[in-house]
Structures are given as structure tokens and as C-alpha cells.
Amino acid sequence: MSTTNICNHIAIIMDGNGRWAKKRGMPRTFGHKKGAENVVKITRSMKESGVKYLTLYAFSTENWQRSKDEVDALMQLLNEYLDKELKEIMENNVRIVFIGERYMLSDDIQKKMHFLEAESAKNSDLTLCIALSYGSRQEILSAVKNIARKVQNNQISIEDISQDTFSDELYTKDIPDPDILIRTSGEQRISNYLLWQIAYTELFFTDTLWPDFGKDELLDIIKKFTSRERRYGKN
Ligand code: IPE
Ligand code: IPE
Ligand code: MG
């Protein structure tokens, strides 16, 4: 039986900024700058693809272990991105949301994230979800703790815990599971990203480094996805 899949949600692990810069004899930070510019370009391309959700892995909980210089440079870039983003998302009718361990980010950055979320809450062409200081195991643990607390307070019984009630405790509760996961830069691993949510996601790995990943390759992946057979365990 041939089917045509519809892609509603793409998740991307934007990897390879450092190697992109190294190849050019430039500092890693330069690669991050180019990577941030590409976030804006790829978000714009999404509008034409009909995809309604885009989730981007921008900074993992493990990335806090990088050198202070690199973390500082990434936070500086993030700050600049947040400052510029309001105009961009309002013009393009994009709703922005953030997932991750927010308390680890500076107050200044947290305030800007909250402001962008509030301002764009009613936008409806695309939901752009940015994973910042995000770790999937941490997200799952925090869901487990919330549920345990509810059981302890007699708000729910153990029998009430289902896949749906569990999903509702994740940072991604209002976002459908990804149809496509793309990782750039040739690495073939998940690096603590959306572990619960990608149970039946179609995976795509490309050698292209994130700053070079463009609209043509994106559309090509979406095209390949449409003809993949998604079986969900059935025969
Ligand atoms: C991805 O690029 C961006 C972040 C993880 C913040 P990398 O910085 O991981 O680049 P490579 O993998 O070292 O090339
Ligand atoms: C994953 O990339 C995180 C982001 C792209 C934000 P990393 O470069 O941190 O992953 P590993 O260390 O190669 O697994
Ligand atoms: Mg990397």
C-alpha cells in the first residue's frame, strides 16, 4: 500500500558549527554566529513548506560543560538573537516557545524569552520551539516528579497515569511529536534530545554542517519523508 505522509513537525539537532569554523581556520564562535544566522533562514523556509512546528536544539544541558569562553560567546549570541527576533516573528506570524531548564539561564535572557513567548502567543503560521539548556532526561525526570507529587497529594491515582497524562507533564505538552528528526554534521546520535517524543519519528542524518544546511536540502528531506513507510509496529 502506498501512502503519502504529511509532515507537521520537524525537529533539528543543529550540529557542526565548530567544525564549520575550523575548516576555515576561524574560531568556533564564528561558526556559532553563522549557525545563528542559519536559524533565521531555515525558519523562513519553513513557511513555504507547510510544516506547522519546528523544534530546534540550540543548547543542551550538557553544553554548559564547554569552556567558559565558548559558553559566554553562545549566551551573547543568544541575547542578540532574542533582541532581533521579535520583529522577525511578528512579521512572519510565528509563535515562539522555549523548552529546557530555564533557571540555568541568566535573568536577562529568561525575561527576553518570556517576553517573546507572550508577544507571539497568538501567531499561527508556525510554532518555533527552541530547546535551550534542554536535556530530555531532565525533562522526563521533572515529569516523573510532578506526577509523583500529584499522586502524593491525592490529585490523581496511579491508575490514571497514562502515556497522555505523562506527555502532558513534559515541556512539549502543547506540541505534537516530531514527524522528522534531522541531525546535521554527520554524527548519528540523539544527544539527549526529545527521547520520549521521537518514539516513532523518522530519522534523517546528513553530513552537511549546520551553517551550510539550506532550504533545498530541507525540502529534499521532506520529499523523502513523504514516501517512507511508517508502520508503527503494524504489519
Ligand atoms: C552545534 O555545533 C551548536 C551547539 C552545540 C551549541 P557544535 O558547537 O557542537 O559544533 P561541532 O560539533 O563542535 O562541530
Ligand atoms: C547536540 O550537539 C546539542 C546541540 C546541537 C545543541 P553536541 O555537539 O553538543 O552533541 P555531542 O556532544 O556531539 O553528542
Ligand atoms: Mg557538536
Side-chain angles (χ1 to χ4, degrees):
M1 197 179 72
S2 81
T3 48
T4 305
N5 303 312
I6 307 243
C7 180
N8 191 37
H9 181 180
I10 297 183
I12 306 181
I13 301 175
M14 308 184 290
D15 198 12
N17 293 346
R19 279 163 281 169
W20 187 92
K22 195 173 172 211
K23 263 173 55 181
R24 287 160 179 78
M26 301 293 281
R28 289 176 60 83
T29 320
F30 184 65
H32 293 314
K33 189 168 181 295
K34 288 288 165 190
E37 287 167 18
N38 203 34
V39 167
V40 179
K41 277 195 220 151
I42 287 293
T43 307
R44 284 187 198 151
S45 311
M46 282 293 156
K47 278 196 77 158
E48 299 159 44
S49 69
V51 173
K52 300 299 277 182
Y53 296 85
L54 173 64
T55 300
L56 300 176
Y57 205 1
F59 192 83
S60 72
T61 42
E62 289 73 27
N63 288 151
W64 287 113
Q65 297 166 52
R66 293 190 178 190
S67 71
K68 185 176 183 305
D69 280 357
E70 181 155 345
V71 171
D72 286 351
L74 281 163
M75 291 302 136
Q76 169 77 30
L77 271 172
L78 172 62
N79 230 316
E80 287 165 19
Y81 172 82
L82 295 174
D83 286 338
K84 279 189 275 188
E85 198 53 11
L86 181 65
K87 184 167 177 283
E88 181 74 23
I89 58 181
M90 296 317 278
E91 277 175 11
N92 290 291
N93 196 23
V94 172
R95 173 172 77 119
I96 196 164
V97 295
F98 297 94
I99 56 171
E101 309 297 310
R102 290 183 189 227
Y103 66 90
M104 296 178 82
L105 295 154
S106 72
D107 289 348
D108 186 30
I109 285 178
Q110 286 186 53
K111 270 191 206 124
K112 288 178 186 178
M113 286 158 63
H114 182 76
F115 173 72
L116 287 182
E117 285 178 326
E119 288 292 311
S120 70
K122 294 203 166 66
N123 291 351
S124 57
D125 275 3
L126 174 75
T127 294
L128 172 62
C129 174
I130 302 189
L132 257 184
S133 185
Y134 175 85
S136 186
R137 286 187 168 182
Q138 291 84 341
E139 179 186 35
I140 288 169
L141 267 182
S142 110
V144 169
K145 287 181 187 172
N146 288 344
I147 291 170
R149 241 176 256 120
K150 285 184 180 172
V151 172
Q152 199 174 37
N153 299 335
N154 295 316
Q155 287 167 278
I156 56 166
S157 71
I158 287 180
E159 287 67 35
D160 289 336
I161 303 169
S162 66
Q163 293 195 21
D164 284 343
T165 57
F166 190 82
S167 295
D168 282 347
E169 297 294 341
L170 297 171
Y171 299 141
T172 52
K173 62 176 179 295
D174 299 322
I175 296 173
D177 289 342
D179 298 297
I180 293 176
L181 171 69
I182 302 168
R183 184 172 187 143
T184 58
S185 88
E187 309 300 349
Q188 303 199 357
R189 55 178 170 264
I190 303 299
S191 303
N192 204 11
Y193 194 39
L194 305 172
L195 300 176
W196 170 275
Q197 296 88 339
I198 60 169
Y200 270 103
T201 298
E202 295 293 326
L203 309 181
F204 291 84
F205 298 99
T206 168
D207 287 340
T208 308
L209 302 172
W210 171 251
D212 290 330
F213 185 81
K215 186 171 147 189
D216 291 347
E217 195 169 359
L218 174 74
L219 295 177
D220 189 51
I221 288 173
I222 297 174
K223 190 158 171 263
K224 288 198 177 100
F225 163 81
T226 56
S227 57
R228 279 208 187 168
E229 192 186 354
R230 302 184 86 183
R231 297 163 73 110
Y232 300 100
K234 297 174 194 154
N235 59 5

